[in-house]
Amino acid sequence: MGRTTLLIAGAAVLGVLAGTITGYAVQYHREPTPLQPLAQQEMAAAKPQAMTDATTRHSINANRWHKADEELAKKLVDVPGGAKSNFSGVASLDMFAATYYEDASEGLGSLITSQVQGIATAAWSESDRNFVEINLLQFHDRNEAEDFQLGIEHYMPTKEYAGNAGKEVPGVPEEFGHLWVDSKAQEKAGYHPIRGVRAVIRRGDIVVTVECTNNRGEIDESVLLDLAKRQMERL
């Protein structure tokens, strides 16, 4: 009885194996069935273009821009009528680092570490004496924005920058903004004296920097305050 059971069991196993082998043999002679693609092989995206009179920064540097960047740029204050616009719009991290930091590579690394999600910049000049720059930096969350703000507040009082502790921005809580007027103009033989005033204000995950520089050593703090107020209203 036991031997008969084993023979039946063995025959069943051989039957399963034979069926499996037959299946593989049949499949071997068939054309392979193509699998469904896991993802699109070609993404619908703009192709980079060579620079011409008709191209823009966006068409030259395709796929480096996001719709959210454009939304941030729309919140910039308008360049005043009569002023010479030097730039207004989305700024890439490397572009911003190259103009904002003394060490561009170190600055770029800092921006990446700080999880900056987007930057918008407006810069213009008036009468070849007054130069204005406004930056909107949007971070991943409020903590990174606060860290960036506090970093500026840490170095601005040093003599290499404003040289004083600064003061509050009218209408802005102390922990959310600060204003510095350079204690003295930067003077160098053969050059006009340069003096600036800067405000740094945080709102949510966005840090606003407003800077006015005069190459005759003359500063009107009220101009900066008006710009800062209008920029915050846009946000």
Side-chain angles (χ1 to χ4, degrees):
M1 180 67 176
R3 184 180 179 184
T4 302
T5 303
L6 289 174
L7 288 174
I8 295 173
V13 171
L14 289 174
V16 172
L17 289 175
T20 302
I21 293 171
T22 301
Y24 278 118
V26 172
Q27 184 63 35
Y28 178 79
H29 293 288
R30 290 177 177 172
E31 290 294 326
T33 302
L35 297 175
Q36 292 295 323
L38 297 179
Q40 291 181 333
Q41 300 302 309
E42 293 187 6
M43 301 297 290
K47 302 291 184 182
Q49 301 178 26
M51 184 180 297
T52 67
D53 292 338
T55 54
T56 65
R57 291 182 305 113
H58 287 204
S59 55
I60 296 171
N61 301 293
N63 305 321
R64 295 185 60 187
W65 313 94
H66 190 276
K67 185 176 181 180
D69 298 333
E70 297 291 352
E71 293 302 317
L72 184 64
K74 291 178 182 178
K75 297 177 181 178
L76 286 165
V77 296
D78 297 327
V79 176
K84 178 183 178 182
S85 177
N86 299 319
F87 182 84
S88 182
V90 177
S92 61
L93 295 187
D94 53 351
M95 173 186 171
F96 180 79
T99 57
Y100 192 81
Y101 294 95
E102 293 182 358
D103 187 327
S105 59
E106 183 177 335
L108 177 59
S110 176
L111 293 172
I112 295 174
T113 302
S114 300
Q115 300 189 60
V116 177
Q117 301 296 295
I119 301 175
T121 297
W124 66 85
S125 59
E126 299 173 333
S127 305
D128 294 328
R129 293 192 177 192
N130 298 306
F131 302 85
V132 176
E133 181 173 319
I134 299 177
N135 297 298
L136 307 181
L137 295 95
Q138 188 163 26
F139 293 79
H140 182 263
D141 60 36
R142 298 187 179 189
N143 291 332
E144 278 81 16
E146 182 179 15
D147 289 343
F148 186 83
Q149 172 203 352
L150 294 177
I152 296 177
E153 293 184 359
H154 176 73
Y155 68 71
M156 280 302 295
T158 64
K159 64 179 181 179
E160 291 82 4
Y161 293 92
N164 59 75
K167 55 186 177 181
E168 295 181 24
V169 178
V172 177
E174 183 178 4
E175 65 270 24
F176 290 100
H178 226 66
L179 168 71
W180 297 268
V181 179
D182 289 347
S183 296
K184 60 180 182 179
Q186 301 177 23
E187 298 183 357
K188 187 176 181 179
Y191 295 88
H192 292 299
I194 297 176
R195 195 176 181 199
V197 54
R198 180 189 296 189
V200 177
I201 308 170
R202 175 171 57 89
R203 181 171 184 177
D205 59 359
I206 296 178
V207 173
V208 180
T209 68
V210 183
E211 185 170 0
C212 298
T213 306
N214 178 274
N215 62 8
R216 295 296 190 276
E218 303 170 354
I219 284 297
D220 187 349
E221 182 179 320
S222 64
V223 173
L224 179 135
L225 290 175
D226 179 63
L227 283 172
K229 178 183 178 181
R230 289 195 284 121
Q231 181 59 74
M232 296 305 293
E233 290 174 348
R234 291 292 293 268
L235 293 177

